[in-house]
Amino acid sequence: MHCEICAFKIHGQEMPFEAVVLNKTSGVGRIRARSPIDCELQKEYTFIIQAYDCGGGPSGTNWKKSHKAVVHIQVKDVNEFSPTFKETAYKATVTEGKIYDSVLQVEAMDEDCSPQYSQICNYEIVTTDVPFAIDRNGNIRNTEKLSYDKQHQYEIMVTAFDCGQKRATEDVLVQVEVKPVCKPGWQGASSGAIDLLPTPSAATNWTAGLLIDSNDMIFKFDGKQGAKIPDGIVPKNLTDQFTITMWMKHGPSPGLRAEKETILCNSDKTEMNRHHYALYVHNCRLVFLLRKDFDQADTFRPAEFHWKLDQILV
């Protein structure tokens, strides 16, 4: 009668394990890997094992074998991989003056097999002194209202940590562009520009009698008065290229809608009283009149330009 255990046999195709006998009398054995085990390739294994006594070799006829037992092996993960970001860089555009719940979302991944090491548990902004914050889901938000005048674009570096606190191999660049909003305001005149309505002074006294609205820099015209600009301030005729810049708040007309509301006019002093050039509002349209070569009677060439603007429809 044979009471010793001489071998273990694993049933299963290409199993990377082997079973060896440590003590024939007690039947204690050990299952060990025949080659390196990779959790990322396979997380668990299940196979059948049987024990054989010493009645004969594996090819003999006198040996006896045990009942079949099921072996289930789970591979324990090692935190060997670092998080990597899905994109090489991230870009977003925001409008100045707004607070966003999320400007954009960055996302990293980890190739480890276990939830502990494959999940991303934290994101962090590496760049210091920037008005942004990031949550554990990778959502970046601005912590204060951004100003285009202060800074057109922000470049921040972001990193990620898995749940084993392993940091990303490389940080990722996030570019946030600040888009300006249209703001009403005065624009400085270019060099060589002529201010037709300057602040009243000894040299510019033609605006002294005008009505003032809101502050000393805004003149008010009620349709009954105007400013007569002295000779020599403006040219008699415009060149091929010119610019007229103005700011006007158009109110309701006190008379009929068909009345012409003149903004700027340069005309003959006597007799024909022809307009050389004029800018006016007429029938809910902004009109510019230009007569080239006004001093040559044989080449009298008038031209009008009409713009239908919503701002005029008051």
Side-chain angles (χ1 to χ4, degrees):
M1 181 177 179
H2 299 281
C3 298
E4 295 183 338
I5 301 299
C6 283
F8 294 102
K9 185 177 181 181
I10 293 176
H11 301 277
Q13 296 181 350
E14 299 181 358
M15 285 293 170
F17 300 99
E18 62 180 3
V20 295
V21 177
L22 298 181
N23 190 309
K24 292 183 177 182
T25 302
S26 64
V28 174
R30 174 181 293 168
I31 297 175
R32 63 190 182 190
R34 292 187 289 105
S35 58
I37 305 299
D38 193 342
C39 177
E40 285 69 45
L41 296 178
Q42 189 166 340
K43 297 181 180 180
E44 56 185 29
Y45 297 85
T46 300
F47 53 85
I48 303 297
I49 190 171
Q50 281 184 298
Y52 292 80
D53 64 13
C54 297
S59 60
T61 58
N62 296 326
W63 65 353
K64 295 184 181 300
K65 55 186 177 181
S66 68
H67 66 280
K68 295 180 179 179
V70 178
V71 177
H72 183 73
I73 296 177
Q74 289 184 325
V75 181
K76 184 178 179 181
D77 189 24
V78 175
N79 194 7
E80 56 187 318
F81 293 98
S82 299
T84 57
F85 285 93
K86 290 188 175 182
E87 304 290 340
T88 56
Y90 293 85
K91 293 183 178 181
T93 301
V94 298
T95 302
E96 67 173 344
K98 295 179 61 178
I99 294 291
Y100 290 82
D101 293 332
S102 178
V103 173
L104 60 84
Q105 183 182 26
V106 298
E107 188 176 359
M109 56 185 181
D110 194 302
E111 295 183 358
D112 286 303
C113 71
S114 65
Q116 179 182 2
Y117 299 139
S118 65
Q119 293 181 0
I120 306 300
C121 276
N122 191 30
Y123 291 91
E124 184 177 304
I125 293 178
V126 180
T127 309
T128 58
D129 299 326
V130 290
F132 296 94
I134 189 169
D135 63 19
R136 61 183 303 172
N137 295 317
N139 292 300
I140 297 177
R141 61 180 178 87
N142 55 317
T143 56
E144 62 184 52
K145 294 180 180 179
L146 305 179
S147 170
Y148 177 82
D149 294 334
K150 180 179 179 181
Q151 191 162 341
H152 296 356
Q153 180 177 280
Y154 291 86
E155 293 188 350
I156 58 178
M157 301 300 296
V158 175
T159 192
F161 296 87
D162 64 21
C163 295
Q165 292 305 304
K166 196 162 191 174
R167 181 172 173 169
T169 306
E170 294 184 2
D171 302 335
V172 71
L173 172 64
V174 178
Q175 294 178 320
V176 180
E177 182 181 352
V178 182
K179 184 173 65 175
V181 296
C182 293
K183 301 176 183 177
W186 297 103
Q187 184 176 5
S190 60
S191 59
I194 302 171
D195 188 358
L196 300 182
L197 294 176
T199 302
S201 67
T204 58
N205 58 2
W206 63 87
T207 59
L210 298 179
L211 298 175
I212 302 297
D213 186 15
S214 299
N215 59 62
D216 293 340
M217 291 301 296
I218 299 177
F219 298 102
K220 181 178 181 180
F221 298 92
D222 57 5
K224 299 178 182 179
Q225 65 168 171
K228 184 178 180 181
I229 303 172
D231 294 340
I233 300 297
V234 293
K236 294 182 179 180
N237 194 15
L238 299 178
T239 60
D240 291 338
Q241 294 184 3
F242 59 90
T243 301
I244 298 176
T245 304
M246 68 168 186
W247 179 91
M248 179 184 71
K249 182 179 180 182
H250 185 234
S253 174
L256 300 176
R257 298 300 294 176
E259 287 184 346
K260 181 189 295 185
E261 302 172 77
T262 301
I263 301 169
L264 171 66
C265 176
N266 189 333
S267 64
D268 293 331
K269 293 182 179 180
T270 59
E271 298 179 355
M272 290 190 296
N273 193 29
R274 293 180 306 180
H275 291 179
H276 306 158
Y277 54 85
L279 183 66
Y280 55 90
V281 174
H282 190 212
N283 289 332
C284 300
R285 283 173 170 79
L286 183 65
V287 182
F288 180 67
L289 169 68
L290 175 64
R291 288 190 171 99
K292 296 292 291 288
D293 301 327
F294 67 91
D295 54 350
Q296 301 294 328
D298 296 336
T299 57
F300 183 66
R301 295 182 295 173
E304 282 189 352
F305 304 88
H306 295 244
W307 296 273
K308 187 175 181 180
L309 305 176
D310 293 338
Q311 293 87 341
I312 302 297
L313 302 177
V314 179

